[in-house]
Amino acid sequence: MFLSKLTINVHSRTFRRDYANVHDMHRTLMSVYPDVPADTPKRQAHGVLWRLDSNRGSYVQYVQSHTRPDWDKLPGGHLTAPAEIRTLQPVLDAIAAGRKLAFRFVANPTRCDNKTRQRIPLRQPADQIDWLIRQGQTHGFVIPATAAGPDIAITPTATITGRKSEPTKITIEPVRFDGHLIVTDPAAFTDAFSNGIGRAKAYGCGLVSLASPRTD
């Protein structure tokens, strides 16, 4: 597995187009991976997950994949520096039962409306935290408790919009989770780390970033 760090040129015409339509951003990213048979979903075949982090008007995009990407295929001027690629094998090797890790995770927390069967965004922080705790029960981790509650900080992020085709509109209300987790089932957690958690994986959600525990 590989993790790429892309320093985005915010003045790039391609990025401005992609930022306005997340489906275009998805297609731009998929263009750097080898083609697959027409009946095979390309994102799943290459295990692509991504997240766009913003900081005072600048953007860094993290892209995780099972296949090594060829970032030279991006349009000219899309980046302000060469893409950085590293293997994630040391992270995978660190996953063990009882291991505490710091994490960052942009997710699309939703619930299913029993009447319409539509997905409804969870907008209350308590509901979002409960959603993440339930994900842990399925994906092999728990969130440790602190004196103030679960060790999670929630940051609202900009609504993601776009169009896959007319008249289908894409609207996602993502949430960023930062905190600590403890691995309870290494196999289940490795699968979640490798393949993402939750919905909207093609559109900037689902990628879990891990690091050593913070001490502050």
Side-chain angles (χ1 to χ4, degrees):
M1 287 177 58
F2 302 92
L3 181 68
S4 300
K5 179 182 178 181
L6 309 179
T7 305
I8 301 296
N9 176 10
V10 297
H11 302 294
S12 159
R13 179 179 298 178
T14 305
F15 176 72
R16 293 200 303 269
R17 179 204 65 194
D18 291 355
Y19 190 78
N21 184 345
V22 71
H23 189 65
D24 284 336
M25 187 172 291
H26 165 73
R27 289 192 294 192
T28 295
L29 292 176
M30 296 314 305
S31 71
V32 308
Y33 293 94
D35 290 335
V36 297
D39 59 349
T40 302
K42 191 173 183 180
R43 188 198 68 79
Q44 290 91 325
H46 295 296
V48 179
L49 300 166
W50 61 272
R51 184 179 75 242
L52 187 66
D53 285 357
S54 62
N55 180 25
R56 298 180 181 178
S58 64
Y59 290 91
V60 173
Q61 195 162 35
Y62 295 94
V63 185
Q64 178 178 297
S65 58
H66 301 164
T67 305
R68 187 181 182 92
D70 180 3
W71 295 113
D72 289 339
K73 293 182 177 179
L74 284 176
H78 193 79
L79 306 179
T80 61
E84 302 174 34
I85 307 176
R86 65 181 177 91
T87 177
L88 284 171
Q89 193 58 49
V91 179
L92 293 169
D93 292 342
I95 296 174
R99 185 73 182 265
K100 183 177 182 180
L101 296 163
F103 73 92
R104 171 168 291 180
F105 172 41
V106 170
N108 177 34
T110 63
R111 65 174 179 84
C112 182
D113 184 280
N114 292 330
K115 293 182 179 180
T116 65
R117 310 309 299 173
Q118 292 182 331
R119 304 304 304 186
I120 306 299
L122 297 175
R123 298 187 174 98
Q124 298 302 314
D127 293 335
Q128 295 165 350
I129 290 172
D130 287 345
W131 177 89
L132 182 58
I133 290 172
R134 290 195 301 273
Q135 295 301 310
Q137 294 169 355
T138 302
H139 296 298
F141 66 91
V142 296
I143 304 298
T146 70
D151 190 353
I152 306 171
I154 298 176
T155 304
T157 61
T159 298
I160 297 171
T161 60
R163 289 189 183 275
K164 186 173 182 179
S165 60
E166 293 292 349
T168 304
K169 185 177 181 180
I170 301 166
T171 303
I172 302 163
E173 298 183 27
V175 176
R176 195 183 86 193
F177 297 98
D178 292 274
H180 289 93
L181 59 80
I182 297 173
V183 178
T184 55
D185 183 334
F189 184 70
T190 297
D191 181 74
F193 176 75
S194 301
N195 298 301
I197 296 175
R199 294 175 174 268
K201 295 185 183 74
Y203 301 132
C205 299
L207 171 62
V208 180
S209 297
L210 300 174
S212 298
R214 296 185 292 274
T215 57
D216 54 357

